[in-house]
């Protein structure tokens, strides 16, 4: 079962930095994430989701590959690529994996204008090493919501919101 963690920041840059730091920790096999999304609320109050993976583009790319392959079999690779790309893009746009967009937009609407939040769906984590790797984010944000155990949440709050115990 995965754990959801939502952390807010007063600015967009810090949220994007946190997501980049988590991706780096994932490349070191210290954390395994299912999804990591930055939600920003512009100065105009508009909420925007910044997905880590653009499913429409991935679908189009995969569809193009398979469409070209099928097109080669039937001696019309250009038509196959076009059909494959369009069907892949449609399926990518319609599939929603990870954290529900509606939930992220609702939380994003509650942010201050110019603020941002990072939504992370964590499958596995080496807690102590990840917290050490995120030390540069000490006292820079606020933990909005988690599905972690009480002890794990307290350690995360101590780091992100400042204070002792992380």
């Amino acid at each position: 079962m995965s754990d959801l963690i939502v952390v807010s920041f007063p600015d967009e840059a810090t949220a994007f930095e946190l997501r980049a730091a988590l991706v780096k920790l994932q490349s070191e096999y210290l954390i395994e994430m299912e999804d990591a999304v930055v939600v920003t609320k512009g100065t105009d109050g508009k909420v925007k989701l910044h997905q880590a993976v653009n499913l429409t583009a991935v679908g189009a790319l995969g569809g193009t590959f398979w469409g070209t392959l099928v097109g080669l079999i039937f001696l019309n690779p250009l038509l196959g690529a076009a059909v494959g790309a369009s069907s892949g893009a449609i399926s990518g746009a319609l599939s929603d994996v990870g954290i529900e967009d509606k939930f992220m937009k609702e939380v994003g609407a509650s942010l201050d204008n110019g603020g941002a939040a990072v939504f992370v769906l964590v499958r596995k984590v080496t807690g102590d090493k990840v917290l050490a790797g995120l030390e540069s984010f000490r006292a820079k944000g606020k933990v909005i919501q988690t599905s972690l155990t009480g002890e794990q949440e307290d350690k995360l709050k101590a780091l992100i919101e400042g204070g002792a115990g992380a």
Side-chain angles (χ1 to χ4, degrees):
M1 188 170 134
S2 299
D3 288 309
L4 174 68
I5 301 169
V6 183
V7 179
S8 69
F9 296 99
D11 62 290
E12 295 180 13
T14 308
F16 283 106
E17 288 171 17
L18 175 62
R19 183 171 72 179
L22 289 169
V23 168
K24 182 178 183 290
L25 290 169
Q26 181 166 273
S27 72
E28 296 170 3
Y29 302 100
L30 297 175
I31 187 170
E32 187 178 325
M33 298 181 292
E34 284 183 45
D35 202 2
V37 180
V38 175
V39 177
T40 58
K41 186 173 182 183
T43 53
D44 59 354
K46 187 175 178 182
V47 175
K48 199 170 180 185
L49 304 181
H50 303 273
Q51 306 278 356
V53 176
N54 183 342
L55 295 174
T56 304
V58 170
L61 185 62
T64 300
F65 170 75
W66 290 109
T68 302
L69 188 62
V70 170
L72 283 172
I73 293 169
F74 294 107
L75 302 174
N76 197 342
L78 292 178
L79 179 62
V83 171
S86 60
S87 63
I90 291 169
S91 68
L94 295 177
S95 62
D96 187 17
V97 294
I99 307 163
E100 189 177 319
D101 290 357
K102 182 181 175 192
F103 168 69
M104 290 188 288
K105 287 181 180 179
E106 288 171 359
V107 173
S110 70
L111 297 171
D112 293 334
N113 287 356
V118 180
F119 291 72
V120 183
L121 202 54
V122 178
R123 192 175 299 143
K124 293 181 199 171
V125 66
T126 307
D128 56 338
K129 291 184 179 183
V130 169
L131 287 176
L134 298 178
E135 185 63 37
S136 64
F137 296 94
R138 180 174 294 281
K140 290 188 176 181
K142 182 174 190 242
V143 177
I144 296 177
Q145 182 175 342
T146 76
S147 60
L148 299 170
T149 65
E151 181 183 343
Q152 292 170 326
E153 185 172 336
D154 290 343
K155 287 180 180 182
L156 180 64
K157 281 184 176 181
L159 175 72
I160 297 295
E161 297 176 5

